[in-house]
Amino acid sequence: MVRRRIAILGGGPGGYEAALVAAQLGADVTVVDSDGLGGACVLTDCVPSKTLIETSNAMTMLNRAPGLGIATGGLATVNAARLYERITDLARAQSRDIAARLAAEDVKVIKARGRLAGPSTIKAGDEQVTADAILVATGASPRILEGAQPDGERILTWRQLYDLTELPRDLIVVGSGVTGAEFASAYLALGSRVTLVSSRDRVLPQEDEDAASLIEDVFRRRGMTVLGRSRAKAVSRDRDTVTVALDDGRTVTGSHCLLTVGMIPRTGGIALDEAGVKVDAHGFVEVDRVSRTSATGVYAAGDCTGVLMLASVAAMQGRIAMWHTLGEAVGPLRLGHVAATIFTDPEIATVGVSQRAVTAGDVSARVLKQPLATNPRAKMAGVSDGFVKLFSSPGTGVVLGGVVVAPRASELILAVSVAVEQHLTVEQLARTFAVYPSMSGSVTEAARKLMEFTGDIP
């Protein structure tokens, strides 16, 4: 039996997860990658940033310690050089683990910059890889603000942070979306003075309004300066000082500036047009719900498609592509079931239906918000900021979605995610045992209150 040949351009989550699936299904798999296995997600984005955030969470706990009866004496400080060294070491170790896993599955890896040479061939340096199916998973790069050219020293994208040897003294974060909010939260906890420049009227403008308002309130109470409705026009540097010019004529000065103003796809220079692969007006590869592009036999996954820029989504797109091309039973990507987390402190985790859709009348749902301040475990930990919000169908009581704002909300959202995926009702969620005391108890408590509110049972 002739083995199907799969060629993958890019070694990030969309690429390496697809390679593992294809290899396990008996295909002959080649990955072409120039930047390091794991891609930006592992080497410069998700893994490093969340490692930084874990350290900031430890500092937050220390700051909370006096309220728990622990005298810290205010002696805790951050060894920035060691912190950044640990971050880069951990990222490289994760990349090596991925390389070892691919090698164990007999996946060939070519370390070269690749490009398409038609719909069935990838040119990788001096080699050509011909395949029955190709997956494009080239990722995306930070968007550069016109008039704010990063220098890697004082004016930075988030991929350049880990080259620093000290914490920014006065950090100006331009952009209040997910990335900006996460880094602003982390560096504030680590001890930097932080100014967050937001072009919108609130931070996290695309997220649940209750959650975003709570996070902004937390930021301000902890000493962050949040400049709403303030669009950055330019960023300049004079030796050790950076100045951000706002479009209303004001200026903000600091020691460092972090630019978090979006992403652009890495789809230029890889000859997509020669293979008949269409991109949209912004350069993202157009794909359907099983990851097919406009070219027969060519699939795409991950940030280069612009479909929910999450590592979990990239990985699922890559797996779906391989299941589809290798003849396995496969369902289309269901974006409505994707759980996502913003790693601020506290974290914001969401899944399913949003408050915005309910408020706009796009979805009919009953809504219940349970404050975390009433949770006994939260009280024990000195936590008062947060809530659990559930959405359910008015007729059936089926859980349609939820929002969790809490420490480790990324873990707590799983219960709601399972309920959404399995079409559980609020009654079924309410009747599920939760440990007492636990933060997860707020999920079942919210379900019980929503069950009573909807009148699903007597």
Side-chain angles (χ1 to χ4, degrees):
M1 181 178 177
V2 178
R3 298 173 70 193
R4 291 263 292 171
R5 298 166 300 171
I6 302 294
I8 298 172
L9 185 56
Y16 75 76
E17 288 286 354
L20 291 172
V21 167
Q24 288 160 4
L25 291 174
D28 183 348
V29 186
T30 301
V31 174
V32 177
D33 179 79
S34 61
D35 299 329
L37 292 173
C41 171
V42 168
L43 293 169
T44 59
D45 286 2
C46 187
V47 169
S49 67
K50 277 40 176 190
T51 305
L52 177 82
I53 289 167
E54 282 296 333
T55 300
S56 75
N57 288 341
M59 289 297 289
T60 298
M61 288 295 295
L62 288 172
N63 291 334
R64 193 184 296 148
L68 304 180
I70 301 173
T72 61
L75 299 177
T77 58
V78 177
N79 183 330
R82 177 67 190 104
L83 169 62
Y84 289 131
E85 180 184 23
R86 177 176 182 268
I87 288 170
T88 53
D89 285 349
L90 192 151
R92 289 169 184 157
Q94 184 69 12
S95 180
R96 289 193 297 270
D97 287 347
I98 293 167
R101 179 74 190 281
L102 292 177
E105 297 291 344
D106 293 324
V107 173
K108 181 180 180 181
V109 177
I110 300 176
K111 296 180 181 179
R113 194 165 297 280
R115 61 184 293 273
L116 299 187
S120 61
T121 305
I122 293 178
K123 183 171 176 57
D126 297 329
E127 295 187 59
Q128 284 209 146
V129 182
T130 302
D132 300 299
I134 288 174
L135 176 71
V136 177
T138 49
S141 299
R143 184 170 77 86
I144 303 303
L145 184 69
E146 187 176 352
Q149 187 62 39
D151 62 11
E153 295 178 348
R154 297 279 171 175
I155 305 173
L156 308 154
T157 70
W158 61 88
R159 292 183 179 175
Q160 298 169 324
L161 282 171
Y162 313 109
D163 294 328
L164 298 177
T165 57
E166 61 182 8
L167 288 178
R169 184 184 68 256
D170 291 282
L171 178 65
I172 306 168
V173 179
V174 176
S176 63
V178 172
T179 303
E182 288 185 345
F183 279 112
S185 177
Y187 275 102
L188 184 69
L190 291 171
S192 299
R193 289 189 291 269
V194 177
T195 299
L196 181 60
V197 177
S198 173
S199 63
R200 309 292 284 275
D201 59 353
R202 62 177 172 85
V203 302
L204 298 169
Q206 302 302 316
E207 305 303 322
D208 181 271
E209 187 171 349
D210 289 335
S213 296
L214 187 152
I215 289 297
E216 183 168 340
D217 180 59
V218 169
F219 283 176
R220 292 181 187 276
R221 278 193 279 114
R222 292 179 181 174
M224 186 186 301
T225 300
V226 180
L227 302 179
R229 298 182 182 177
S230 303
R231 186 176 298 275
K233 183 172 65 174
V235 183
S236 59
R237 174 184 175 186
D238 180 12
R239 288 179 289 187
D240 293 342
T241 301
V242 295
T243 300
V244 177
L246 306 180
D247 62 1
D248 62 5
R250 291 177 297 159
T251 59
V252 185
T253 60
S255 63
H256 297 76
C257 177
L258 175 62
L259 301 169
T260 63
V261 290
M263 301 281 282
I264 57 173
R266 296 181 62 189
T267 52
I270 59 173
L272 291 176
D273 53 344
E274 293 180 24
V277 176
K278 293 181 180 178
V279 298
D280 67 16
H282 302 287
F284 292 102
V285 179
E286 296 180 353
V287 293
D288 64 12
R289 292 173 66 197
V290 291
S291 305
R292 290 178 296 192
T293 71
S294 55
T296 302
V298 181
Y299 296 77
D303 289 355
C304 68
T305 69
V307 178
L308 282 187
M309 291 186 173
L310 299 171
S312 58
V313 173
M316 185 57 73
Q317 284 180 295
R319 296 185 198 109
I320 286 173
M322 295 302 100
W323 290 326
H324 186 270
T325 194
L326 294 173
E328 295 292 305
V330 60
L333 182 66
R334 294 187 291 182
L335 295 179
H337 289 197
V338 174
T341 298
I342 302 168
F343 290 87
T344 48
D345 179 38
E347 295 175 356
I348 302 173
T350 59
V351 68
V353 164
S354 69
Q355 180 71 63
R356 179 174 297 176
V358 175
T359 302
D362 299 330
V363 176
S364 178
R366 296 189 184 271
V367 185
L368 190 289
K369 187 170 78 169
Q370 174 67 27
L372 198 66
T374 63
N375 180 289
R377 184 67 179 271
K379 292 175 183 177
M380 296 169 193
V383 173
S384 58
D385 295 310
F387 61 81
V388 172
K389 181 189 289 187
L390 293 180
F391 305 95
S392 72
S393 168
T396 64
V398 168
V399 178
L400 301 177
V403 181
V404 179
V405 181
R408 304 296 181 190
S410 51
E411 309 290 347
L412 297 174
I413 197 65
L414 179 62
V416 186
S417 188
V418 170
V420 171
E421 179 70 26
Q422 299 300 322
H423 304 287
L424 301 182
T425 65
V426 287
E427 177 185 350
Q428 289 171 312
L429 186 57
R431 293 180 184 275
T432 301
F433 273 98
V435 170
Y436 182 89
S438 69
M439 297 282 193
S440 59
S442 286
V443 177
T444 54
E445 185 176 359
R448 285 194 296 273
K449 289 187 176 180
L450 188 55
M451 182 178 71
E452 296 166 3
F453 177 58
T454 60
D456 292 323
I457 64 171

